[in-house]
Amino acid sequence: MFDWKFFLLHIFKLSPAYGAALLTTIGLAIVGQVLGIIIGGFVSMGRLSRSRTFRWTAAIYTWFFRGVPELVLMVILFTGVAAAGLLRFDDFAIGSFTVSASLQAAIVAIGLREGAYMGEIIRNGLQSVSKGQVEAARALGMSPMRVMWKIIIPQAMRVIVPPFGNDFNVMLKVTSLASVIGVPELFLTTQTFSAQNFRVFELFIGLAINYLLLTTAWSVIQSLIEARLRRHESIAGRRTFLRTVQAHLIGTSATDTGSA
Amino acid sequence: MIASATPVEDIQHMTSSDLIVVEATGVHKWFGPLHVLKGIDLSVSRGEVVCIVGPSGSGKSTFLRTINHLEPINRGSILVNGHSVGYASIGEKPIPKREARIAHSRRDIGMVFQQFNLFWHMTLLDNVSVGPQTVLGLSKNDARDRAAALLNKVGLGDKMEAYPQSLSGGQQQRGAIARALAMEPKLMLFDEPTSALDPDMSREVVSVVEKLAKDGMTMIIVSHEMSFVRRAATRIVMMNGGIVTEELRDIRAADLSNTNGIGAYLNATL
């Protein structure tokens, strides 16, 4: 029998432990993603490098971290590496907030995994910028750094953001794997609750709704970023916030306002 | 028939080296095994409008692109206002400059492309002001004022906030010319600027170039367009097979109706 009272209380009255779990999940996803973007930037440069050594290093990195399951990576990093005496993560504190060893290992694992995916996404974006655009910028007298920041990156962003958004969506869910190495994120916390009161169905439906809220919030943010990047395609002018979100969620093209 | 735009009094105050904007000597260029430029010599003085014509594959676009070092050269030298754009030292084994130094040398040389290449992620106003602002270090307001004035000059005053995709080819090309002019270049290079345009749009672009010629801008134009030759050129250079085969300095109608050389070529491509 589904206990509605328990379910609604659980959903709408966040317990401190559950609130902390929510923050851990979001933090893990965001910090892992940022780390992944940084690594991915280097990987994409390696992939596009003139040096064969860099190209190969980046290719092997991508091959490895796209091929090994995130779960296996986390266990290797947290338990295996420590057991082998190579590297042991230790708790450390930032102010009053303690970053546990398991959370560090999870962040590193997710960052490494993201680095491989982001490397490919960024590379694809950089390669999409046409030679003519770069030449026009160079002909104006822009230095290579300026060409990169003013022309290549802004233009590549339009190609990077949609797959990046999908990737981050997957990432929000992949964080649940960190439960295996004992990171008290949403999944592990829910599991702990259910071991105490056996309301497995209610708790996990609640958890599903929680993940849906996270991925939906991200969807909305993504659609806003994409709409901003597609300003140049619209001659009808700026879209309202609501129409942008609606177009994104329902799946109509964000560019159907018409262009010349 | 075509008056030089620089007043005679000014010319007398200048030494001959002041007058020379481009000095290409023995320029060779290979693409792998393909020898595309086989020793080009060309000297262009201030205020001249040089049209380079010739069949496809003759190396004329490649030569134009070597002038601002979009294409490196393998032998010879090209001086723009007395300085090499791409090389720290010239001679048998030219030593290339650092990219940032090359970028600095390109400021004085404007370039207009066949495919316009306006930055599609920027409005027209941003396209024209981005150079002065980021490269020349003008304040945002000054750069925008300069860009707005130039866009008005090329007849795009009402399109400043438009993105390139919403403009016609002719409008885009005029915008691209304004973008190049915003750097206040001493030399303008045009790489087949009307080849991607229909005749009406071509005419818009030609009339802008003609105005520039009247203002005394030094220009090198690679084009098949007869109207450039008729209305703006002070000299025609014919290239074929990687060398300059013919030059016509004083352009008269009689020369253009000639049945040999440049005259024949231009009449055939008309």
Side-chain angles (χ1 to χ4, degrees):
Chain A
M1 185 58 199
F2 194 86
D3 187 337
W4 280 101
K5 194 173 166 232
F6 176 84
F7 175 71
L8 292 173
L9 266 178
H10 171 64
I11 296 256
F12 289 109
K13 204 160 166 285
L14 280 184
S15 68
Y18 203 76
L22 187 62
L23 287 180
T24 305
T25 290
I26 295 172
L28 176 56
I30 292 177
V31 177
Q33 186 68 51
V34 169
L35 191 60
I37 291 172
I38 294 167
I39 296 174
F42 284 108
V43 170
S44 66
M45 282 194 278
R47 298 277 280 180
L48 297 172
S49 166
R50 253 176 271 176
S51 145
R52 181 178 300 200
T53 319
F54 286 161
R55 277 206 311 274
W56 271 98
T57 311
I60 290 170
Y61 178 93
T62 308
W63 165 77
F64 185 84
F65 286 103
R66 278 206 308 185
V68 177
E70 296 84 355
L71 189 55
V72 177
L73 268 182
M74 285 183 195
V75 175
I76 290 178
L77 272 170
F78 185 59
T79 325
V81 178
L86 292 171
L87 172 74
R88 184 181 294 280
F89 289 97
D90 280 314
D91 294 4
F92 68 83
I94 303 172
S96 61
F97 184 71
T98 307
V99 184
S100 71
S102 57
L103 182 56
Q104 293 168 43
I107 287 172
V108 171
I110 281 182
L112 289 170
R113 177 249 189 221
E114 270 308 292
Y117 282 94
M118 285 310 296
E120 291 297 276
I121 291 171
I122 295 171
R123 174 178 71 131
N124 188 44
L126 295 177
Q127 281 179 321
S128 75
V129 178
S130 81
K131 199 168 156 255
Q133 295 282 310
V134 175
E135 276 187 350
R138 291 169 70 206
L140 273 181
M142 288 192 195
S143 65
M145 283 300 279
R146 276 217 185 82
V147 176
M148 187 51 106
W149 284 105
K150 282 278 164 194
I151 310 300
I152 297 178
I153 289 178
Q155 295 196 358
M157 283 304 275
R158 195 186 60 159
V159 176
I160 289 172
V161 166
F164 160 76
N166 292 339
D167 194 47
F168 188 65
N169 187 80
V170 172
M171 263 273 305
L172 281 167
K173 296 178 291 179
V174 163
T175 54
S176 61
L177 298 174
S179 58
V180 170
I181 56 173
V183 177
E185 41 65 70
L186 283 176
F187 185 85
L188 184 61
T189 307
T190 306
Q191 222 175 17
T192 313
F193 283 3
S194 73
Q196 289 160 1
N197 56 28
F198 306 107
R199 304 274 187 200
V200 180
F201 193 41
E202 290 85 349
L203 284 168
F204 277 85
I205 292 285
L207 180 61
I209 291 173
N210 238 301
Y211 279 116
L212 275 172
L213 286 176
L214 287 179
T215 52
T216 306
W218 171 245
S219 251
V220 170
I221 295 170
Q222 184 188 347
S223 66
L224 291 176
I225 300 173
E226 281 182 27
R228 170 144 183 102
L229 290 172
R230 289 178 178 278
R231 272 174 312 182
H232 64 279
E233 286 177 4
S234 164
I235 46 172
R238 297 177 59 166
R239 284 187 153 204
T240 61
F241 171 82
L242 209 65
R243 281 188 62 206
T244 305
V245 173
Q246 180 192 327
H248 184 77
L249 295 181
I250 298 171
T252 46
S253 159
T255 63
D256 59 3
T257 42
S259 62
Chain B
M1 171 178 136
I2 290 157
S4 167
T6 315
V8 178
E9 307 86 70
D10 289 354
I11 292 176
Q12 285 165 345
H13 291 285
M14 290 186 277
T15 64
S16 65
S17 65
D18 280 338
L19 276 169
I20 293 184
V21 179
V22 179
E23 179 85 83
T25 322
V27 174
H28 284 262
K29 166 87 188 165
W30 281 265
F31 284 123
L34 201 66
H35 197 178
V36 283
L37 300 179
K38 301 172 180 168
I40 306 278
D41 296 306
L42 185 72
S43 162
V44 178
S45 304
R46 190 182 295 177
E48 266 196 293
V49 179
V50 177
C51 278
I52 304 179
V53 299
S56 316
S58 59
K60 52 194 194 306
S61 277
T62 304
F63 173 64
L64 192 78
R65 292 160 54 83
T66 62
I67 295 174
N68 64 351
H69 199 71
L70 282 182
E71 296 288 354
I73 59 176
N74 300 108
R75 212 193 306 157
S77 76
I78 303 175
L79 302 180
V80 179
N81 294 315
H83 304 284
S84 173
V85 173
Y87 300 97
S89 81
I90 49 181
E92 268 305 294
K93 273 225 176 254
I95 300 167
K97 287 202 251 184
R98 292 206 336 268
E99 279 296 330
R101 304 290 310 159
I102 296 174
H104 195 272
S105 303
R106 284 195 185 112
R107 294 174 173 195
D108 288 344
I109 309 168
M111 189 164 199
V112 174
F113 300 86
Q114 183 178 354
Q115 296 300 334
F116 332 130
N117 296 342
L118 282 176
F119 306 128
W120 54 252
H121 63 300
M122 296 180 184
T123 62
L124 200 48
L125 190 64
D126 287 340
N127 260 283
V128 182
S129 63
V130 69
Q133 200 184 330
T134 66
V135 178
L136 301 180
L138 262 64
S139 74
K140 188 170 181 174
N141 282 337
D142 289 352
R144 286 181 155 246
D145 287 348
R146 185 187 281 193
L150 281 165
L151 285 171
N152 278 320
K153 197 173 159 190
V154 298
L156 293 171
D158 55 338
K159 298 284 183 189
M160 294 195 200
E161 293 302 327
Y163 285 94
Q165 280 91 327
S166 64
L167 301 174
S168 74
Q171 290 171 331
Q172 289 191 48
Q173 194 61 300
R174 283 182 282 148
I177 293 172
R179 174 176 68 180
L181 291 175
M183 299 295 290
E184 299 190 333
K186 298 195 175 78
L187 168 70
M188 285 283 284
L189 308 173
F190 292 82
D191 188 3
E192 311 218 16
T194 57
S195 299
L197 300 175
D198 66 32
D200 277 343
M201 295 178 183
S202 263
R203 222 165 291 134
E204 301 170 4
V205 171
V206 169
S207 78
V208 170
V209 172
E210 197 185 356
K211 250 188 254 171
L212 281 177
K214 288 211 176 87
D215 292 346
M217 177 63 78
T218 311
M219 293 186 273
I220 304 178
I221 304 169
V222 167
S223 180
H224 297 285
E225 185 85 43
M226 262 307 268
S227 43
F228 275 128
V229 175
R230 281 227 190 84
R231 293 162 70 175
T234 58
R235 177 156 48 127
I236 306 174
V237 172
M238 171 111 166
M239 279 180 68
N240 201 350
I243 53 169
V244 173
T245 53
E246 204 181 334
E247 269 192 66
L248 213 55
R249 272 181 183 276
D250 302 305
I251 301 161
R252 292 182 303 272
D255 294 322
L256 298 181
S257 56
N258 196 341
T259 47
N260 309 312
I262 290 178
Y265 177 80
L266 289 174
N267 286 326
T269 52
L270 185 64

